[in-house]
């Protein structure tokens, strides 16, 4: 993986984790938390795999490609769920965008 692609991937997983954590917290403050419960669940999964991915890349893990494939799948699922709420919640729209960018960067790395 080239330096530019690696930098892009690091930035994407970092930004995605931050967006998911923000969305997670904002969803917990919504009036109908039950309506966004799956969004909350996937925000946590996605933030965790992105944080782990950032660490794995930084330590030059031999499993980066495999982790990137998994990260892409989780980011895509989180983005799809957040997109369902994007018309009503700006934090979900921003999270979906970050998830889809990260999923694409991870697919390239996988």
């Amino acid at each position: 993986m080239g330096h530019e692609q690696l930098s892009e991937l690091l930035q994407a997983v970092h930004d995605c984790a931050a967006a998911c954590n923000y969305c997670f917290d904002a969803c917990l403050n919504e009036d109908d938390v039950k309506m966004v419960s799956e969004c909350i669940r996937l925000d946590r999964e996605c933030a965790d795999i992105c944080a782990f991915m950032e660490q794995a890349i930084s330590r030059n893990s031999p499993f980066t490609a495999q982790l990137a494939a998994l990260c892409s799948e989780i980011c895509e699922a989180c983005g799809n769920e957040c997109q369902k709420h994007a018309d009503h919640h700006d934090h979900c729209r921003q999270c979906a965008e970050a998830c889809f960018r990260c999923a694409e960067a991870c697919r390239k790395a996988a």
Side-chain angles (χ1 to χ4, degrees):
M1 188 177 325
H3 179 71
E4 186 175 322
Q5 186 182 11
L6 191 61
S7 294
E8 176 188 327
L9 182 57
L10 272 170
Q11 190 64 56
V13 296
H14 178 81
D15 292 348
C16 188
C20 287
N21 281 324
Y22 180 78
C23 187
F24 165 79
D25 184 60
C27 282
L28 287 175
N29 291 309
E30 292 296 336
D31 291 333
D32 188 359
V33 173
K34 193 169 190 168
M35 184 188 79
V36 290
S37 64
E38 190 62 16
C39 187
I40 292 167
R41 179 187 318 278
L42 288 172
D43 280 339
R44 292 303 322 135
E45 294 290 335
C46 194
D48 286 350
I49 191 66
C50 285
F52 185 77
M53 193 63 204
E54 189 172 12
Q55 293 172 20
I57 295 164
S58 297
R59 66 177 172 263
N60 196 28
S61 170
F63 303 104
T64 298
Q66 294 95 323
L67 291 168
L70 177 60
C71 190
S72 174
E73 187 177 330
I74 294 171
C75 288
E76 192 76 28
C78 188
N80 287 333
E81 182 61 31
C82 283
Q83 198 168 41
K84 293 177 186 177
H85 311 285
D87 291 342
H88 304 290
H89 307 298
D90 194 47
H91 55 87
C92 286
R93 181 189 55 76
Q94 291 172 357
C95 187
E97 291 170 1
C99 285
F100 293 141
R101 277 192 304 274
C102 189
E104 180 60 27
C106 285
R107 273 192 292 277
K108 289 178 185 176

